[in-house]
Amino acid sequence: MAPKVLVLGSSFGGLTAALALKSELHDEVEVSVISPSERFVFNPSLIWLPFGKRRAQDISFPVGPTLEQHGVQFVHQAATLIDPHTQTVHAGAAHPYDYLVIATGYRNDFSVAHGLGPNGDAVTITSLDDAIRAGERWQKLVDNPGPMVVMATQGASCFGAAYEFLFNASYQVRRAKLARQIPITFVTAEPFLGHFGIGGLPHGEKLLGMFLKKEKITAITNASLEAVDAGVVVLSDGTTLASEYTMAIPPFMGQQVILDSGLGDARGYVKVRPTYQSEEYDNVYAVGIAAAVSAPWQTPTPVGVPKTGFPTEAMAHVAATNIASQIRGEAPHEEKEFKDIAAVCVMDAGNNGVVILADKMLPPRKHGILVPGPQAHLMKLAFEKYFLWKMENGYVNLP
């Protein structure tokens, strides 16, 4: 009887791990994906959705047919408990496993400040539903212009999305000839512009400062959010900013099932080895947001480390390779610590952008560069189409 591998999550990490493992072992393994979401969403494109440049169907696809086509079972359920001792996941029913990959992604920690969340006065773009709400509020701002604030709160890690939304918002404001009526302030927990939660790259602060100056955007760094109320943003140092539209990227947390199962730290992240095996269990892996990562620094205002996108894929491939080794009776040998994963990002800015490249996610590094220009915008458009095609067809082993 073939070993059973359960993968929790159907986004970047889950889909990659499940399909890579099935591609490697074929009928030698039985793979199932358990997820509360039946659609893969290309989250990097959520920056465009509020401005009407994308619809939900443009940047998502159902995962069931993709998995079925490649011989992977799909269970559309939320996992409620993981029991590593009996090797069972509870999700509507009990699902036994020989190996487990936790790729459960993130949830927003709206408790960091008053006024965040679906019922608050701020919007965010960290999920499809959030981005749709942000779009509804955006239309109201265009109809009744006023000042806006874009921010990455204390503890946030997805700084790229904050910058991309900021510059895309500025681009749309200029196109609508509303720049005078909608002044923009950027507020970030970063100690300096371009820190990105990865310690920054050479000339990044200067480059982003030039972008903001060109767009006439006021920037406040090293900031902590206290509250967002109707018409005002209050920072922890008492600074108040008028704002008719506030978009805030909050901190992320691991999923509740990890906490309930006693597998994670206080934030719901699983501590892992360089093989992405959990520190406690040889047959349990965690990748992407679900894996705990420590930053090699402390900042005056807390900032997180970005684990989405390319790093998540890299972790998932390492986990799949090591599970395949274990099934073949070999010791897990593939190692790639998070800090050693390459940093590859295209930051869009409406009709411009920046390509961000570095040999390692976290310092010390040998190489790191930011390349600005309109080619970055074109690259992001092309990559979106390529990546959705790649994932929907299950070609996860392609670059």
Side-chain angles (χ1 to χ4, degrees):
M1 191 172 179
K4 292 183 178 181
V5 178
L6 291 187
V7 178
L8 304 188
S10 59
S11 191
F12 287 75
L15 214 53
T16 298
L19 294 174
L21 187 58
K22 193 66 176 177
S23 174
E24 177 77 13
L25 294 180
H26 303 288
D27 292 337
E28 294 177 54
V29 66
E30 182 181 317
V31 182
S32 297
V33 169
I34 299 175
S35 175
S37 174
E38 59 183 346
R39 297 193 72 82
F40 176 91
V41 177
F42 186 63
N43 285 7
S45 292
L46 292 176
I47 57 164
W48 292 320
L49 193 144
F51 310 116
K53 300 303 178 183
R54 292 294 184 277
R55 301 167 299 167
Q57 57 266 40
D58 297 329
I59 58 173
S60 67
F61 62 84
V63 297
T66 297
L67 293 169
E68 182 181 349
Q69 179 185 354
H70 292 271
V72 177
Q73 182 185 4
F74 179 55
V75 180
H76 184 206
Q77 290 280 351
T80 55
L81 186 67
I82 302 165
D83 188 338
H85 302 291
T86 62
Q87 298 185 183
T88 305
V89 170
H90 296 269
H95 301 269
Y97 66 82
D98 295 300
Y99 299 92
L100 176 68
V101 180
I102 301 172
T104 42
Y106 59 83
R107 55 192 170 121
N108 291 315
D109 182 7
F110 291 129
S111 69
V112 71
H114 171 77
L116 303 182
N119 300 317
D121 288 293
V123 296
T124 190
I125 54 165
T126 53
S127 75
L128 185 57
D129 288 343
D130 289 325
I132 290 171
R133 281 191 291 269
E136 293 167 353
R137 297 266 192 97
W138 177 260
Q139 192 54 55
K140 292 179 181 178
L141 177 71
V142 172
D143 293 341
N144 296 282
M148 70 177 292
V149 172
V150 176
M151 78 174 302
T153 73
Q154 59 272 27
S157 58
C158 198
F159 292 100
Y163 280 105
E164 288 189 290
F165 184 88
L166 172 72
F167 291 125
N168 271 272
S170 181
Y171 176 66
Q172 295 300 326
V173 165
R174 281 191 286 106
R175 286 192 65 191
K177 296 181 169 49
L178 292 172
R180 290 183 180 275
Q181 295 99 309
I182 306 180
I184 305 174
T185 301
F186 180 57
V187 181
T188 177
E190 298 165 283
F192 53 85
L193 294 174
H195 182 280
F196 295 130
I198 61 172
L201 291 171
H203 312 298
E205 182 177 10
K206 181 179 178 181
L207 177 63
L208 286 166
M210 290 170 57
F211 264 60
L212 267 67
K213 184 177 180 180
K214 175 178 174 290
E215 298 292 319
K216 296 181 171 57
I217 297 169
T218 301
I220 302 173
T221 58
N222 190 30
S224 179
L225 177 65
E226 183 70 26
V228 180
D229 290 310
V232 65
V233 170
V234 183
L235 304 184
S236 298
D237 65 2
T239 300
T240 59
L241 304 168
S243 180
E244 295 302 320
Y245 185 97
T246 303
M247 196 293 290
I249 301 292
F252 293 153
M253 294 181 68
Q255 299 293 350
Q256 189 65 42
V257 62
I258 298 174
L259 289 168
D260 291 344
S261 303
L263 289 172
D265 61 18
R267 300 291 296 175
Y269 300 140
V270 180
K271 292 183 179 180
V272 294
R273 302 169 235 178
T275 56
Y276 293 98
Q277 291 169 286
S278 103
E279 290 185 351
E280 292 185 80
Y281 304 98
D282 289 345
N283 64 338
V284 175
Y285 290 73
V287 300
I289 294 287
V293 171
S294 298
W297 58 68
Q298 287 186 331
T299 51
T301 302
V303 299
V305 176
K307 296 181 277 183
T308 54
F310 183 79
T312 291
E313 277 192 277
M315 294 184 222
H317 278 294
V318 171
T321 297
N322 285 327
I323 292 173
S325 295
Q326 287 179 294
I327 288 174
R328 289 169 173 155
E330 304 165 4
H333 62 275
E334 189 76 9
E335 295 188 356
K336 191 75 170 181
E337 287 192 66
F338 175 83
K339 66 181 179 65
D340 294 327
I341 296 172
V344 181
C345 180
V346 180
M347 190 177 79
D348 186 67
N351 64 344
N352 207 331
V354 180
V355 179
I356 302 169
L357 301 170
D359 62 322
K360 293 184 177 184
M361 283 294 296
L362 301 178
R365 304 184 183 93
K366 292 182 180 178
H367 309 289
I369 188 171
L370 286 84
V371 183
Q375 74 279 358
H377 174 65
L378 298 175
M379 286 176 65
K380 178 133 186 170
L381 294 175
F383 183 72
E384 174 197 63
K385 301 296 184 290
Y386 162 75
F387 197 86
L388 283 164
W389 168 83
K390 172 181 123 169
M391 297 303 281
E392 186 168 10
N393 287 281
Y395 301 146
V396 297
N397 290 324
L398 290 176

